[in-house]
Amino acid sequence: MRIRFAFNGEDDPHEFRTSRSLRVRLRRRLSRLKYPIWVYPVVTLGLGWCLYYMFWPQPALHYDHEEDSKPGISPEIADVEKREAVVAAFKHAWAAYERDAMGFDEYHPISKKGENLAHSDGIGYTVVDAIDTIHLMGLEPEYQRARSWIDKKLNFDQPGEFSTFETSIRVLGGLLSTYYLTSDRLFLTRAVDLADRLITAFDTESGLPLPSVDLKNRKGVADKYAVDRVSTAEAATLQLEFRYLAELTKNDTYWYKSEHVMSVIDKAKLPHNLVPIYISASQGTFKESEIRLGSRGDSYYEYLLKQYLQTAKTESIYRKMYMDSMQGIHDELVQMTPTRNMTYIAELVPKNWFSGDHDYTLQHKQDHLVCFLAGSLMLGATTVGAVRKTVSVPPQLHELSAQGRRDWQTGVNLLETCMYTHETATGLAPEIAMFRTDKDTTETRDWYIKNSRPGGPSSYDARYMLRPETVESLFIAWRLTGDIRYRDYAWGIFTSIERYAKLPGGGYATVLDVDTVPVSLDDKQETFFLSETLKYLYLIFCESSVLPLQDTVFNTEAHPLPVFAPTIKPRFAI
């Protein structure tokens, strides 16, 4: 039997046919409808469309650069998540210190113990060094506890020898930056107390500060092993802090004593405008020693630029000193590897020690500390090296002078080299890298770690101490270019720190060999990890309106200080 379905009484052999009773019932039901039949499917479709947009998950918005984010996550959300991950890392490090060693100068996270740097109760290096980071990250309970410690327990009336340099950049700098961020006079009061003790270190024949201070007795202390020797960088990396304090208090002693140091160094400089790492405290002349941008040399060059920027570009002497020294660096120290053409900064070592002839030979060695120079060169190119008042982001070639273009390119290239040294088993860079000068196709990379090899044995050079210099330059590069690769680099470094330096029980430790996995750790969480490394990582994933570069200078410990038009008349000038 064939079944057909007929409409309007017309047979169609290609359709199903129902019984007559079924057709009758269907007509009766349709005749009872209140509205025409076509209304009902239209309303149903409209209601379904509304419900879909109200409750069904919608795809995330994306930038044009699809590689900027994970699938389905917008770059904005990804950056917030990364920023929160950095905050979580800070809390992991700080909570362990606060639990085990609150108030101690330094923290040993493996043994869960604190240590003071002098034979005294200490002066809370970690607390004061970290408190502005705590404030910036919005960690209010932690901030209030740290402030309470500074208010009730911090005491600078301590005997013993405290480093003039480290105490100035970490403690004085931390107090001043927190005052700048909060306007809380507690921090200014503590800063004045400390500065009045530190300033006694400048009471020498030359006016150069002695390397240590007895805070209780307010007296500078010479190096016991070399009584007339002062580190050049340490003497010339106090000026941002003392000059800002002078501007706040109108006490020009802070300004003039720290400024005088720059005059002494300028008179003693060598023809290529580079400086050896040691200088005589009595004579103010350079001692036979290495010329480098690593330890004891680095922040001298950093502060030349920042002193010029701090006082709203009003002191042209620092512009000249900076430009002259950058010319010297390019003439004497900038090198390239023969295989991959990687830019690095070499060192000059005396050929004949103690001869006094300042005759040097090149050593192809670069400290991790040197990586600050990449960002510094880029910042200098867009300020000192700019031919316009404002520079685009990223800068255009016509906006920079010839020297500005040179410095910009060297900074960009050097930063790539610094990231190249992160190509290790852990993704972390060693303390010191040596660069190959001969083209050798059998080697996998253009640099190596002296006296070390993957799997051990390892040398001191192989360690990663949670240092900030590369991420500092990544922060500046990101702000000046908006190039997402700098954020990607920073995130890669952070994830390596999380994987290899993080301790399950709290805190982070030094990795002893970056090329050996599983890693061995040293029982030390440096204060600069909280003050610098995590702060710069946090700022990389913040909006550029947070501490904008045009309004802020960061001291060498990453403590932000304001740019200001000075009311004290400088004495050191061209």
Side-chain angles (χ1 to χ4, degrees):
M1 181 177 72
R2 187 171 63 178
I3 300 175
R4 295 179 179 176
F5 190 90
F7 287 96
N8 301 323
E10 297 179 3
D11 271 355
D12 186 342
H14 301 291
E15 300 293 344
F16 291 109
R17 190 173 190 178
T18 64
S19 67
R20 183 175 183 278
S21 61
L22 178 60
R23 283 181 285 159
V24 170
R25 288 197 300 269
L26 180 59
R27 289 192 185 102
R28 288 174 179 172
R29 288 182 179 273
L30 291 175
S31 66
R32 295 172 185 167
L33 294 176
K34 184 175 181 181
Y35 301 103
I37 190 171
W38 61 267
V39 173
Y40 294 93
V42 171
V43 172
T44 302
L45 286 172
L47 182 60
W49 194 259
C50 292
L51 291 173
Y52 171 78
Y53 272 94
M54 288 174 63
F55 299 107
W56 195 262
Q58 299 300 305
L61 297 175
H62 294 272
Y63 283 132
D64 291 335
H65 304 291
E66 292 182 0
E67 70 275 14
D68 291 356
S69 63
K70 298 177 182 178
I73 302 178
S74 73
E76 296 96 330
I77 295 175
D79 292 339
V80 170
E81 290 175 346
K82 290 172 182 177
R83 187 167 69 238
E84 290 306 310
V86 176
V87 173
F90 181 92
K91 292 174 71 174
H92 184 79
W94 174 260
Y97 165 76
E98 192 175 13
R99 177 194 66 207
D100 301 328
M102 185 64 176
F104 280 88
D105 290 334
E106 294 189 332
Y107 179 48
H108 301 288
I110 297 175
S111 59
K112 296 180 171 59
K113 294 179 180 178
E115 180 183 8
N116 289 323
L117 299 178
H119 299 295
S120 67
D121 291 335
I123 55 174
Y125 266 70
T126 297
V127 181
V128 187
D129 213 8
I131 191 168
D132 61 354
T133 308
I134 295 172
H135 176 76
L136 281 169
M137 290 183 174
L139 302 176
E140 187 61 21
E142 290 86 349
Y143 173 78
Q144 290 300 332
R145 292 195 296 271
R147 184 195 181 282
S148 178
W149 188 92
I150 292 170
D151 182 25
K152 298 176 181 177
K153 296 185 178 181
L154 178 59
N155 179 17
F156 292 127
D157 200 34
Q158 303 289 348
E161 298 178 10
F162 293 86
S163 166
T164 306
F165 167 69
E166 298 291 356
T167 306
S168 295
I169 65 170
R170 301 190 192 203
V171 184
L172 182 60
L175 291 169
L176 289 172
S177 65
T178 310
Y179 174 73
Y180 166 54
L181 295 173
T182 66
S183 299
D184 186 336
R185 294 195 66 83
L186 167 68
F187 301 104
L188 180 58
T189 300
R190 289 284 188 267
V192 170
D193 181 17
L194 177 59
D196 287 345
R197 300 168 191 272
L198 290 170
I199 203 70
T200 60
F202 293 82
D203 295 335
T204 62
E205 184 178 346
S206 67
L208 296 174
L210 292 173
S212 299
V213 176
D214 181 333
L215 294 179
K216 182 178 180 64
N217 295 304
R218 303 180 183 234
K219 182 179 180 181
V221 180
D223 186 332
K224 66 179 66 175
Y225 301 108
V227 294
D228 192 42
R229 188 179 70 180
V230 174
S231 162
T232 304
E234 292 184 3
T237 313
L238 311 169
Q239 287 66 34
L240 295 185
E241 298 80 3
F242 278 100
R243 283 160 35 147
Y244 177 47
L245 183 60
E247 185 65 25
L248 290 173
T249 62
K250 307 306 176 188
N251 182 347
D252 59 12
T253 299
Y254 302 138
W255 186 296
Y256 293 143
K257 286 200 171 187
S258 62
E259 182 186 59
H260 177 69
V261 172
M262 305 309 300
S263 175
V264 172
I265 293 176
D266 188 52
K267 289 177 183 177
K269 66 184 179 184
L270 302 183
H272 46 44
N273 296 301
L274 303 179
V275 295
I277 62 172
Y278 288 115
I279 191 168
S280 166
S282 60
Q283 302 301 314
T285 55
F286 285 114
K287 291 180 172 292
E288 200 76 37
S289 52
E290 300 97 320
I291 292 175
R292 65 187 183 213
L293 274 83
S295 61
R296 302 187 182 279
D298 50 357
S299 49
Y300 161 73
Y301 302 96
E302 175 189 357
Y303 269 35
L304 290 180
L305 174 62
K306 290 183 176 179
Q307 287 183 78
Y308 177 62
L309 299 179
Q310 181 189 35
T311 51
K313 303 179 184 179
T314 58
E315 295 183 272
S316 56
I317 181 62
Y318 295 112
R319 183 180 189 275
K320 182 179 186 305
M321 291 178 71
Y322 173 77
M323 294 179 70
D324 289 347
S325 66
M326 293 306 104
Q327 185 65 52
I329 287 170
H330 279 86
D331 291 344
E332 305 290 337
L333 303 181
V334 174
Q335 303 291 312
M336 295 183 71
T337 62
T339 304
R340 291 181 58 173
N341 295 323
M342 305 300 292
T343 298
Y344 64 96
I345 310 300
E347 299 181 357
L348 293 175
V349 180
K351 287 183 178 178
N352 300 301
W353 289 90
F354 311 113
S355 65
D357 57 9
H358 295 299
D359 191 14
Y360 293 89
T361 185
L362 205 62
Q363 181 173 242
H364 299 272
K365 163 181 171 285
Q366 179 176 290
D367 291 5
H368 186 282
L369 291 166
V370 177
C371 289
F372 89 90
L373 183 65
S376 184
L377 281 166
M378 295 172 77
L379 181 61
T382 58
T383 52
V384 174
V387 296
R388 297 174 55 180
K389 187 174 182 179
T390 59
V391 174
S392 305
V393 178
Q396 305 299 308
L397 290 180
H398 69 272
E399 298 172 334
L400 306 179
S401 65
Q403 179 169 334
R405 292 193 293 272
R406 178 204 65 190
D407 290 356
W408 177 267
Q409 194 59 57
T410 301
V412 170
N413 293 342
L414 177 59
L415 187 48
E416 291 298 321
T417 299
C418 292
M419 290 308 305
Y420 181 31
T421 62
H422 279 266
E423 293 181 11
T424 62
T426 60
L428 299 169
E431 179 72 0
I432 298 173
M434 306 295 294
F435 287 86
R436 306 184 194 280
T437 56
D438 297 325
K439 195 167 186 177
D440 188 346
T441 57
T442 64
E443 296 293 342
T444 58
R445 61 191 186 194
D446 285 8
W447 64 275
Y448 63 96
I449 304 172
K450 188 176 180 179
N451 298 326
S452 289
R453 66 170 181 263
S458 60
S459 65
Y460 177 87
D461 295 5
R463 65 182 52 210
Y464 173 68
M465 302 168 58
L466 308 172
R467 285 203 184 275
E469 283 71 24
T470 298
V471 293
E472 173 185 0
S473 285
L474 290 172
F475 161 68
I476 295 173
W478 162 251
R479 286 288 181 91
L480 295 178
T481 67
D483 190 331
I484 199 67
R485 82 174 185 269
Y486 295 122
R487 274 184 164 172
D488 292 341
Y489 285 159
W491 184 246
I493 293 172
F494 175 73
T495 54
S496 291
I497 292 172
E498 286 289 283
R499 183 173 183 181
Y500 295 108
K502 186 176 185 177
L503 297 171
Y508 293 76
T510 293
V511 175
L512 287 173
D513 187 344
V514 297
D515 249 345
T516 298
V517 176
V519 298
S520 297
L521 299 175
D522 186 37
D523 191 13
K524 186 74 172 290
Q525 177 178 284
E526 300 282 356
T527 73
F528 54 66
F529 179 61
L530 300 172
S531 173
E532 298 185 74
T533 308
L534 291 177
K535 181 185 291 159
Y536 281 128
L537 283 167
Y538 175 78
L539 289 172
I540 286 170
F541 297 106
C542 281
E543 298 79 7
S544 295
S545 58
V546 179
L547 299 177
L549 292 180
Q550 65 269 24
D551 299 331
T552 311
V553 290
F554 292 83
N555 87 336
T556 196
E557 194 72 6
H559 294 304
L561 302 173
V563 171
F564 61 89
T567 58
I568 297 174
K569 183 176 177 59
R571 292 177 177 174
F572 178 41
I574 296 175

